[in-house]
Amino acid sequence: IIAALYTGSRVNNTIQFGVRAFISIIFLLIFSAYGSLIAIIFSIIGKRGLINFVTARTYGYFASTAVGISFKVQGEEYLNTRPAIFICNHQAAVDLLVLGRIFPKHCVVVGKASLRFIPLLGMFMSLGHAVFLDRKNHGSAVQALTNAAEEIKKQNTSVFIFPEGTRARLQEADLLLFKKGAFHMAVQAKIPIVPIVVANYSDNYNSKRKIFRGGEINIKVLPPIDVSNISIDQIDTLTNSTRELMLKTLKEIS
């Protein structure tokens, strides 16, 4: 089965999906534990800002290789922008591998509150200073974003957010509507937004159709968007224009 997995012969989609999904879960568990260890060590030696970067990049290298997926990245130099709000389209489970390939230095993630309670992964995210949002509680989510904006300015760190808020799982190159949290943070902290666009990979991974194939996926990092002159009442316009820019790019690279 493993040999057929990489040659694409004599094995059906369901078996490919099951084997690759199992491999992915094993790597996620291993690197959640690894990340927790890295978090403790790096906190002690004063390298806290590299916890997520080192863990993500190491995970991305080994896990992507194991399932036969690679990435072609354009504009990688923009990942060095600091501080910044990095935003990326959110498709499906392979986004974990995307994070492993492009996660910036001195950056934390924003995720839903329920992730905090996943064994090992939740521990690692907490040690890596992730921002957890309870989207069912609007007041709590707003306060968490406000606190994160203040922390960004104080620590000269960056934040990684999926502005769609949930996995789109779309068959075609398209985006869900964007939530405004990332844009509020950028405007409050007066730091640039760096859009990251991942090509539609539904032909490589689709949980409904039980597809999990190897292959190359395109990623394009766009130049930073300056928000220094954007006011709070212009956030709707900023959100919509950024989404349009990312959607145009998504259609070009998919």
Side-chain angles (χ1 to χ4, degrees):
I1 290 175
I2 297 299
L5 180 64
Y6 293 102
T7 62
S9 61
R10 283 183 255 137
V11 61
N12 62 35
N13 285 341
T14 301
I15 294 177
Q16 282 196 53
F17 182 89
V19 172
R20 280 195 166 97
F22 177 76
I23 292 171
S24 298
I25 291 171
I26 293 300
F27 271 91
L28 184 60
L29 291 173
I30 290 172
F31 278 90
S32 293
Y34 166 81
S36 298
L37 179 61
I38 288 292
I40 294 171
I41 295 173
F42 277 37
S43 295
I44 292 173
I45 66 175
K47 299 290 184 180
R48 184 171 292 179
L50 297 177
I51 291 172
N52 294 318
F53 172 78
V54 171
T55 304
R57 292 300 183 102
T58 309
Y59 162 78
Y61 175 80
F62 286 102
S64 295
T65 301
V67 298
I69 286 181
S70 61
F71 299 97
K72 180 181 179 181
V73 183
Q74 302 177 58
E76 191 160 7
E77 65 272 17
Y78 299 125
L79 295 175
N80 295 321
T81 307
R82 178 186 174 199
I85 304 293
F86 293 94
I87 62 173
C88 183
N89 55 317
H90 200 10
Q91 297 182 62
V94 170
D95 287 346
L96 284 173
L97 300 180
V98 171
L99 284 173
R101 175 61 184 84
I102 52 87
F103 201 82
K105 294 180 180 178
H106 304 284
C107 187
V108 300
V109 296
V110 173
K112 56 186 178 181
S114 59
L115 293 175
R116 188 197 300 267
F117 305 105
I118 296 178
L120 295 178
L121 179 62
M123 179 187 298
F124 161 66
M125 291 182 69
S126 296
L127 290 171
H129 302 281
V131 178
F132 294 102
L133 297 183
D134 182 1
R135 293 192 173 94
K136 296 179 182 178
N137 186 334
H138 179 71
S140 172
V142 170
Q143 186 59 50
L145 288 171
T146 300
N147 293 342
E150 293 175 356
E151 192 68 15
I152 286 170
K153 291 186 289 186
K154 185 191 304 181
Q155 301 293 336
N156 191 33
T157 192
S158 300
V159 174
F160 196 106
I161 303 179
F162 294 110
E164 291 164 285
T166 188
R167 296 173 182 176
R169 295 188 174 92
L170 300 175
Q171 303 294 317
E172 65 283 349
D174 204 353
L175 298 171
L176 300 179
L177 293 178
F178 281 6
K179 299 183 183 301
K180 300 173 188 175
F183 304 92
H184 273 284
M185 288 178 62
V187 171
Q188 286 184 49
K190 294 300 179 185
I191 62 174
I193 295 169
V194 179
I196 301 170
V197 184
V198 183
N200 183 276
Y201 56 69
S202 58
D203 286 339
N204 297 89
Y205 180 90
N206 188 303
S207 59
K208 291 181 180 179
R209 294 160 55 198
K210 301 300 180 186
I211 291 174
F212 197 168
R213 304 187 183 107
E216 185 178 76
I217 298 172
N218 290 323
I219 301 175
K220 188 169 185 177
V221 186
L222 302 180
I225 298 172
D226 183 15
V227 301
S228 58
N229 295 319
I230 302 292
S231 61
I232 294 294
D233 58 2
Q234 294 175 305
I235 284 180
D236 283 351
T237 301
L238 175 64
T239 302
N240 293 334
S241 63
T242 304
R243 182 182 179 278
E244 289 173 7
L245 174 64
M246 292 178 67
L247 181 56
K248 178 183 177 182
T249 305
L250 176 61
K251 292 179 182 297
E252 290 173 351
I253 68 173
S254 294

